[in-house]
Amino acid sequence: MIGKKKTCYTRNLRRLVGRRGDRGLSARRMHNAASVSVSLGSLGLLRLFGVSWSWSLAAGLGVYLGTRSWKYFYIAARTAKRDLNGLYVLMRVKLALWRYMRNGSNIPSIFAQTVKLHPNKPALIYEATGETWTFTQLDQLSNAVAHWARGQGLVSGDVVALFMESRPLQVALWLGLAKVGVEAALINFNLRHDSLLHCIGVSGSRAIVFGAELADALLEVASSINQSMVRFCTGDLSAERLSHLGAIPLDPVLASASRLPPSPCVPPKGMNDRLFYIYTSGTTGMPKAAIVVHSRYYRIAAFGYFAFRMRADDIIYDCLPLYHSAGNIMGVGQCLIHGLTVVVKKKFSASRFWEDCIKYNCTVVQYIGEICRYLLSQPVRPSEKGHKVRLAVGNGLRPSVWEAFTERFGVAQIGEFYGATECNCSIANMDGKVGACGFNSRILPNVYPIRLVRVDEDTMELIRNSRGLCVPCRPGEPGLLVGRINQQDPLRRFDGYANQDATKKKIAHNVFKKNDSAYLSGDVLVMDELGYMYFRDRGGDTYRWRGENVSTTEVEGTLSGLLGQTDVAVYGVTVPGVEGKAGMAAIANTTGCFDWNSFLQKVQQALPPYARPVFLRISPQVDTTGTFKIQKTRLQREGYDPRLTTDQIYFLNTRAARYEAVNEELYNAIVEGRMSL
């Protein structure tokens, strides 16, 4: 009976589709009339929202040409104002970049224009000493750096490593080097031993400038560094220690150097030439030196400025390390390009955060990773409501923390964004949608060619259709974020890393269409029906257990909240003979005591069975990078083997409904399959 109904339905459908004549023409006319009505309706709605006539007409035409569906109209009505604002920001940045490229500009020449506009305005304020540098002073010191570099025989294309804690001098150093075409390698000041050697070596640096505060770290690797590499020290260091390091004091050299602008470098560097290197965080291995060209520096800073509606009189509190793109580009970039004052904090302090903002009249603050959570864990202080901060800009703010942060501290706007230093698929949350890290237009998706594509959840390999192209994700379906590459477009470029093999691994072909290429972000996001995107997980961090996908980010947020905003790292570990990976949580605990019964009860209430940690690891602290990203490489390698760590490890005995300490006997029972999971 069902088969007969299907046959009848198919016959009727073919008959309807195949009809010609008046009825088909009438239907098309009615469809056209509906499309006109939809476009006129969207135009009127945009005018109601205060959008200009020109933009409203353009959007109305786009609606008419793009589709005839009422679903499309619903989405357009909900998102048109947001999308038009995004298009405005995109075009403003793009036109500025093309103008700078046509004029042969670069970051130093753009900064020179800023200096002319604001010669005596404070550019950088160093919180540690209270020292203020005007734009003229910053310009003159960077000129001294340029003359010093020339005096050392450094030429355009050479690289100098900078290894120091955050301070305004670091900005003067890389900016001065850039004035003569020399590229800086901004090295994470937390690195030691092999990682430090790797970063110095992969950059191909001819010289290194280090802060006196990091002399011990450099001494540990001094014998392994190429002896031809010239070493300079800034800060107070005894003659004896300088001698041991084979270093020359830099400060007196800069003090006596010319403050006049250096002669232009030959050949001149343009917007698509290299400015400096910023290293990836190293959460999954050795850091990679990402190439930052002049146009990339401009685009990151400019997108932040326009997308989040910063103002020329804003004062930014920058507590992020200057070896990172958030601190040095999104933060300091507003100073160099747009003339804002930036307060440079040597190191983030949760207890001093709001006091500093009040002291320096800051109106914008930066965050990354766990900073907002750290602030929420602080005791209530009068200063947390006595500030003038209206905007917090950053990434990695969990939805569970978002609203609590804005409500408690009275910050009106969160400027959440997504984008790695090297990526070409950055997105921004311009309208404050809680939890979203950005959006992509559903009505004009090709204006900004990024996409979420399906991947194998275990291997992270791209899933392709019968034509060999990647399969786009539907709304609500997690996927890998990719961005189409166009090296002629400064917004679509992918410049990669100093290591070409690492660069090739981040490029896929035949993604949007045949013979194209796209950047692979390595991150899994999910998009809702309105085009808002939400960060789901770092590629490889999502694990499968009991037939379900478990998001480590989500479980970390839940467990951290249950434990009063304690640091938690969640990852999957392999159990022999068992499919998927069992969840394991490393929990920072310095008290020496832990209430297992209370914790398990809370976990059972907050998480489904498949997301509850099978193993726990109690540590004095959880390893993080300088930007508060949790490092899991070592934790995953050691797993739940009690012989590999002195930390306490516990196993969830589901039959006994309790966590039990893992000793060698229990460990063997688990790996041999004698203990039920």
Side-chain angles (χ1 to χ4, degrees):
M1 189 68 182
I2 294 174
K4 290 182 179 179
K5 286 184 178 179
K6 284 186 175 180
T7 303
C8 183
Y9 175 81
T10 303
R11 189 184 305 116
N12 290 336
L13 180 63
R14 286 173 179 169
R15 187 180 298 124
L16 288 169
V17 171
R19 284 177 180 169
R20 297 289 188 270
D22 293 341
R23 291 181 62 186
L25 180 60
S26 176
R28 286 195 296 275
R29 284 174 176 170
M30 290 178 66
H31 216 158
N32 285 334
S35 296
V36 171
S37 298
V38 168
S39 61
L40 290 175
S42 63
L43 187 153
L45 187 64
L46 290 173
R47 289 295 298 146
L48 184 64
F49 279 121
V51 179
S52 67
W53 274 109
S54 58
W55 285 111
S56 300
L57 287 168
L61 181 61
V63 169
Y64 176 78
L65 295 176
T67 185
R68 311 282 173 84
S69 115
W70 287 103
K71 180 74 170 178
Y72 183 92
F73 172 63
Y74 166 77
I75 294 173
R78 292 283 303 275
T79 63
K81 189 173 182 179
R82 177 202 69 183
D83 291 1
L84 288 172
N85 181 51
L87 180 60
Y88 167 78
V89 171
L90 182 72
M91 295 307 298
R92 187 161 185 175
V93 175
K94 192 165 189 172
L95 289 172
L97 274 170
W98 283 117
R99 185 175 68 253
Y100 285 131
M101 292 174 68
R102 186 177 65 249
N103 295 339
S105 301
N106 56 24
I107 294 302
S109 67
I110 295 172
F111 173 66
Q113 298 173 15
T114 306
V115 175
K116 290 180 181 179
L117 291 173
H118 313 284
N120 300 315
K121 181 181 178 180
L124 299 175
I125 299 174
Y126 189 30
E127 185 278 332
T129 63
E131 181 182 7
T132 298
W133 297 23
T134 66
F135 280 92
T136 297
Q137 289 171 327
L138 178 58
D139 184 44
Q140 290 177 346
L141 185 54
S142 63
N143 288 341
V145 171
H147 288 292
W148 159 75
R150 283 259 175 89
Q152 290 298 312
L154 296 169
V155 298
S156 182
D158 284 341
V159 181
V160 174
L162 304 183
F163 184 52
M164 62 185 66
E165 293 181 348
S166 297
R167 67 187 77 165
L169 178 62
Q170 186 173 8
V171 178
L173 283 167
W174 72 252
L175 181 60
L177 292 171
K179 288 184 175 184
V180 291
V182 178
E183 302 150 15
L186 309 180
I187 297 179
N188 182 338
F189 55 70
N190 295 296
L191 297 181
R192 298 294 184 270
H193 304 295
D194 291 346
S195 296
L196 177 56
L197 278 173
H198 167 79
C199 288
I200 294 173
V202 76
S203 68
S205 299
R206 286 190 56 191
I208 183 170
V209 178
F210 66 93
E213 71 280 3
L214 297 174
D216 289 341
L218 195 65
L219 188 60
E220 291 171 350
V221 299
S223 60
S224 301
I225 296 175
N226 191 324
Q227 296 306 303
S228 65
M229 181 181 294
V230 188
R231 305 165 195 186
F232 292 87
C233 176
T234 176
D236 296 328
L237 203 63
S238 67
E240 182 180 1
R241 300 203 68 197
L242 284 169
S243 177
H244 283 146
L245 287 163
I248 303 168
L250 179 62
D251 297 336
V253 177
L254 294 182
S256 61
S258 171
R259 260 48 180 175
L260 297 175
S263 58
C265 65
V266 179
K269 284 208 170 185
M271 293 299 282
N272 287 330
D273 289 315
R274 298 185 184 191
L275 176 61
F276 53 54
Y277 299 90
I278 283 182
Y279 291 80
T280 60
S281 61
T283 53
T284 56
M286 281 292 189
K288 295 178 289 188
I291 298 168
V292 177
V293 298
H294 292 253
S295 62
R296 177 166 295 276
Y297 190 97
Y298 178 85
R299 85 168 258 207
I300 293 174
F303 268 125
Y305 183 84
F306 294 116
F308 304 128
R309 301 179 297 282
M310 295 185 192
R311 302 192 294 248
D313 60 348
D314 275 327
I315 299 175
I316 300 178
Y317 183 66
D318 188 350
C319 60
L320 305 179
L322 298 187
Y323 59 73
H324 190 271
S325 58
N328 206 347
I329 308 180
M330 184 63 79
V332 171
Q334 309 308 334
C335 165
L336 305 184
I337 293 171
H338 299 115
L340 277 64
T341 299
V342 175
V343 178
V344 176
K345 178 77 171 178
K346 183 178 179 180
K347 188 177 182 181
F348 166 72
S349 168
S351 62
R352 289 289 310 165
F353 189 91
W354 298 113
E355 283 82 355
D356 288 342
C357 290
I358 292 173
K359 181 178 179 180
Y360 295 105
N361 295 310
C362 296
T363 54
V364 179
V365 297
Q366 288 188 267
Y367 67 85
I368 193 170
E370 304 304 299
I371 282 180
C372 294
R373 183 168 61 85
Y374 292 152
L375 292 173
L376 283 171
S377 68
Q378 290 289 301
V380 176
R381 296 183 176 90
S383 59
E384 67 185 41
K385 284 289 183 70
H387 57 79
K388 299 178 181 177
V389 175
R390 72 168 201 288
L391 168 66
V393 177
N395 54 13
L397 182 55
R398 295 170 179 167
S400 59
V401 176
W402 189 304
E403 291 178 309
F405 180 85
T406 56
E407 182 177 350
R408 174 174 167 180
F409 301 121
V411 176
Q413 181 186 357
I414 298 294
E416 175 82 4
F417 65 90
Y418 166 87
T421 301
E422 67 276 26
C423 83
N424 70 344
C425 49
S426 302
I427 52 177
N429 183 340
M430 300 183 188
D431 58 355
K433 176 71 172 178
V434 174
C437 59
F439 72 94
N440 195 32
S441 175
R442 294 293 312 282
I443 56 177
L444 297 169
N446 294 324
V447 170
Y448 192 57
I450 65 172
R451 186 172 293 175
L452 297 182
V453 297
R454 294 182 186 175
V455 291
D456 184 288
E457 294 164 353
D458 294 322
T459 65
M460 292 300 290
E461 291 184 5
L462 299 169
I463 294 175
R464 297 181 181 272
N465 59 23
S466 58
R467 298 174 55 208
L469 302 178
C470 290
V471 181
C473 295
R474 298 185 300 270
E477 183 180 12
L480 184 73
L481 181 63
V482 300
R484 182 184 294 166
I485 296 173
N486 178 357
Q487 292 300 105
Q488 279 66 54
D489 185 341
L491 300 184
R492 307 255 40 89
R493 289 177 61 93
F494 173 57
D495 297 287
Y497 312 96
N499 182 295
Q500 287 302 306
D501 289 336
T503 301
K504 292 177 183 177
K505 291 178 181 178
K506 298 292 284 187
I507 299 175
H509 300 282
N510 301 319
V511 176
F512 294 80
K513 61 181 182 179
K514 285 291 185 181
N515 302 317
D516 71 355
S517 60
Y519 164 80
L520 304 175
S521 70
D523 291 331
V524 176
L525 283 74
V526 63
M527 182 178 69
D528 65 20
E529 67 172 358
L530 298 179
Y532 289 105
M533 291 193 178
Y534 305 83
F535 184 84
R536 177 60 65 91
D537 241 320
R538 185 72 59 183
D541 281 355
T542 302
Y543 61 90
R544 195 168 181 84
W545 183 246
R546 301 296 188 224
E548 298 284 348
N549 295 319
V550 181
S551 166
T552 60
T553 302
E554 293 178 6
V555 178
E556 284 168 355
T558 300
L559 297 183
S560 179
L562 295 177
L563 296 169
Q565 307 303 333
T566 297
D567 278 339
V568 177
V570 175
Y571 46 98
V573 291
T574 301
V575 179
V578 180
E579 290 184 2
K581 291 185 177 181
M584 187 166 184
I587 299 171
N589 182 281
T590 57
T591 64
C593 60
F594 196 90
D595 190 342
W596 304 107
N597 292 329
S598 174
F599 175 76
L600 182 55
Q601 289 175 5
K602 292 177 181 177
V603 167
Q604 289 172 334
Q605 293 173 354
L607 292 173
Y610 62 84
R612 296 169 190 164
V614 178
F615 298 95
L616 297 178
R617 175 172 178 158
I618 308 303
S619 307
Q621 64 181 25
V622 174
D623 294 344
T624 61
T625 69
T627 52
F628 306 102
K629 293 179 181 177
I630 293 173
Q631 291 183 311
K632 304 178 184 179
T633 306
R634 178 177 63 87
L635 298 173
Q636 289 173 316
R637 183 174 64 249
E638 295 176 356
Y640 48 91
D641 190 339
R643 298 167 297 182
L644 300 180
T645 179
T646 57
D647 293 341
Q648 297 172 290
I649 296 178
Y650 295 85
F651 165 73
L652 179 57
N653 186 330
T654 53
R655 291 182 177 177
R658 67 173 183 265
Y659 280 102
E660 298 177 350
V662 177
N663 53 27
E664 191 167 344
E665 181 180 350
L666 180 54
Y667 173 78
N668 290 332
I670 294 170
V671 297
E672 292 169 9
R674 292 185 283 108
M675 177 60 71
S676 173
L677 276 72

